[in-house]
């Protein structure tokens, strides 16, 4: 029953979800003078800060130190026996998340933060904790959540949220999936010393990435003792005395301490009331919006992963900024989704921007074609360090106009390198522009200005 008499407050904007996108939109709208409330059921920060990019990268840093320690003897270091304290790492990571949470709270000093689950009950009304709040505009920024297939024993398995808070490092872990999260966590656990098996239903992991990236990262993972079973699915998981028994589609069985599913993410719209008020959504529940982030109800908007466009933090932030600049700042911006760079924080890491060779060929084969430049070499550090790993870089150039239309690479510094390459690509740089640029020696990135 709706009780419209209690606690009715009026706002210019109610944002539902205090993740990266929602916080940006709320903060910018408030800076323009709007009266803004943000509704969040957990803590301010969202997936990226609390359960995704940030804690994951802290664990990547932590696990990567294992490689440095292993390689140190080649540089004359005599390191005795060393051990890692998982519990201490998780505590330190959680302290950092608390710090970031308070920074986010400070960012929202002009915004009213309402803790509770927000349900949209009318075009201008949101119900939270049994009270109703009203606003001229509502912004849905609730993000996504892990998708877990319905297999027998799925309740015994963990997702990435839980993997970030395990009480102990698993001796053995099976990870299902061949995408970003599966690869990142496989490296984290393997570098800390877990025995890792990656199960992937397809033929080549990282579907949609350039084929060279997929093939070469597979080789690197195998060198790092990560077992990869492709064209395989997990049929069921059951409990043994202390461990889990994983039954695979090829009839193999694996005993493991943990089984993690990294099988994609879906919009987090359960209970939000979208169907009841008639907001159009797509096949996985994503809120359908136009280029102005407007839903099928004209004062209700959506940004970020809940719209399932490009599910990356910087994209959600950009969408939040554009939304508030337009609605409360009188501007008419549109988000630019072309050449969005991304990274997989695997070990070694992957960075990509622009078209893959296949995509470029499909687009330009009959329109002048493309040229592909590749290089692969041992990182200088490993001449003494001794680690068996390679850096790989690939540049795709359109023949007609000499423009660089894709750069893909594998190597520890690749996310940093590709971030800056994406500026060049967005600025329309040609292969000649790269060639006319002096390198910095000795670096890995200089290879990109000397590709032959
Ligand atoms: P991805 O979409 O990257 O990968 C999902 C994987 O799970 C794919 O390999 C997919 O196989 C497989 N899969 C899906 N459904 C099933 C199923 N029913 N049974 C078996 N396997 C299945 O999703 P992630 O969960 O890794 O990450 C979600 C999103 O989060 C990413 O797409 C990205 O946008 C974002 N993200 C970004 C990061 C970054 O920027 N570094 C890091 C982490 C996440 P198939 O290929 O056959 O579809």
């Amino acid at each position: 029953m709706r009780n419209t008499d209690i606690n009715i407050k009026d706002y210019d904007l109610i944002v539902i979800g205090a993740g990266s996108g929602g916080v940006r939109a709320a903060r910018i709208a408030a800076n323009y003078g709007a009266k803004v409330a943000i509704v969040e059921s957990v803590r301010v920060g969202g997936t990226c800060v609390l359960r995704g990019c940030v804690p994951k990268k802290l664990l990547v840093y932590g696990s990567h130190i294992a490689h440095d320690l292993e390689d140190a003897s080649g540089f004359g270091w005599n390191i005795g026996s060393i051990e890692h304290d998982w519990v201490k790492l998780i505590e330190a990571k959680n302290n950092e998340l608390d710090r970031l949470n308070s920074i986010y709270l400070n960012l929202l000093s002009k915004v009213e933060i309402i803790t509770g689950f927000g349900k949209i009950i009318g075009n201008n009304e949101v119900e939270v904790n049994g009270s109703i709040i009203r606003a001229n505009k509502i912004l849905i920024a609730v993000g996504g959540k892990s998708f877990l297939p319905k297999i027998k024993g799925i309740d015994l398995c963990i997702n990435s949220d839980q993997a970030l808070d395990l009480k102990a490092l698993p001796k053995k872990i099976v990870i299902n999936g061949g995408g970003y999260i599966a690869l990142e966590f496989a490296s984290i656990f393997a570098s800390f010393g877990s025995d890792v098996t990656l199960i992937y239903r397809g033929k080549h992991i990282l579907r949609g990435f350039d084929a060279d990236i997929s093939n070469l990262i597979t080789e690197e993972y195998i060198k790092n003792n990560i077992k990869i079973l492709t064209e395989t699915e997990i049929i069921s998981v059951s409990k043994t005395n202390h461990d889990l028994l994983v039954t695979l589609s090829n009839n193999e069985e694996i005993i493991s301490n943990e089984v993690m599913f990294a099988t994609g993410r879906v919009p987090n719209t359960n209970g939000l009331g979208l169907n009841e008020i008639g907001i159009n959504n797509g096949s996985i529940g994503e809120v359908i919006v136009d280029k102005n982030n407007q839903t099928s109800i004209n004062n209700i908007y959506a940004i970020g992963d809940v719209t399932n466009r490009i599910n990356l933090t910087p994209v959600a932030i950009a969408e939040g900024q554009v939304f508030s600049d337009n609605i409360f700042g009188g501007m008419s911006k549109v988000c630019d989704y072309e050449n969005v760079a991304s990274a997989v924080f695997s070990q070694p890491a992957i960075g990509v921007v622009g078209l893959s060779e296949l995509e470029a060929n499909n687009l330009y084969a009959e329109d002048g074609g493309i040229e592909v430049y590749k290089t692969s070499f041992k990182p200088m550090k490993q001449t003494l360090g001794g680690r068996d790993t390679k850096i790989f870089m690939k540049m795709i150039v359109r023949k007609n106009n000499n423009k660089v239309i894709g750069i893909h690479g594998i190597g520890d510094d690749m996310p940093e390198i590709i971030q800056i390459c994406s500026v060049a690509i967005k600025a329309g740089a040609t292969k000649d522009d790269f060639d006319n640029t002096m390198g910095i020696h000795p670096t890995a990135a200089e290879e990109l200005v000397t590709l032959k």
Side-chain angles (χ1 to χ4, degrees), residues 98 140 145 168 218 252 289 370 378:
D98 290 345
I140 303 167
K145 61 176 180 188
T218 302
E252 250 184 74
V289 288
I370 58 166
K378 191 176 176 129

Side-chain angles (χ1 to χ4, degrees), residues 56 147 149 176-182 184 200-201 207 233 262-265 311-312 343-345:
K56 175 272 310 285
F147 161 75
N176 195 12
Y180 283 81
I181 296 180
E184 291 177 345
Y200 178 50
R201 65 181 177 182
R207 183 170 62 82
E233 292 190 54
T263 40
R265 294 178 64 82
N311 297 336
L312 297 171
V344 184
F345 292 96

Side-chain angles (χ1 to χ4, degrees), residues 43-44 96-107:
R43 285 207 298 173
V44 169
E96 173 59 8
L97 300 193
D98 290 345
R99 191 185 72 84
L100 292 174
N101 176 247
S102 47
I103 289 175
Y104 264 67
L105 289 172
N106 282 340
L107 287 177

Side-chain angles (χ1 to χ4, degrees), residues 140-247:
I140 303 167
V142 294
K145 61 176 180 188
S146 295
F147 161 75
L148 300 175
K150 289 192 176 82
I151 59 146
K152 193 168 155 244
I154 193 71
D155 49 317
L156 300 169
C157 305
I158 58 170
N159 62 18
S160 54
D161 298 1
Q162 292 145 338
L164 287 165
D165 270 320
L166 286 175
K167 299 273 176 283
L169 178 73
K171 275 204 169 76
K172 281 189 82 166
I173 183 164
V174 170
I175 300 180
N176 195 12
Y180 283 81
I181 296 180
L183 263 78
E184 291 177 345
F185 278 83
S187 288
I188 289 170
F189 286 118
S191 297
F192 277 124
S194 303
D195 175 327
V196 180
T197 305
L198 195 76
I199 311 285
Y200 178 50
R201 65 181 177 182
K203 206 167 183 167
H204 303 287
I205 57 174
L206 287 181
R207 183 170 62 82
F209 281 64
D210 190 275
D212 281 326
I213 296 290
S214 165
N215 293 334
L216 294 172
I217 199 71
T218 302
E219 284 176 19
E220 292 286 339
Y221 270 42
I222 292 167
K223 284 192 270 181
N224 282 332
N225 295 323
I226 295 171
K227 293 177 230 35
I228 302 183
L229 302 180
T230 54
E231 297 179 272
T232 308
E233 292 190 54
I234 295 182
I235 300 298
S236 69
V237 178
S238 56
K239 238 183 158 42
T240 63
N241 281 347
H242 300 292
D243 298 313
L244 298 171
L245 174 72
V246 186
T247 306

Side-chain angles (χ1 to χ4, degrees), residues 409-427:
I410 300 178
D412 284 342
D413 297 320
M414 213 49 72
E416 308 287 343
I417 294 171
I418 292 294
Q419 174 67 85
I420 297 309
C421 288
S422 66
V423 178
I425 289 195
K426 279 208 84 73

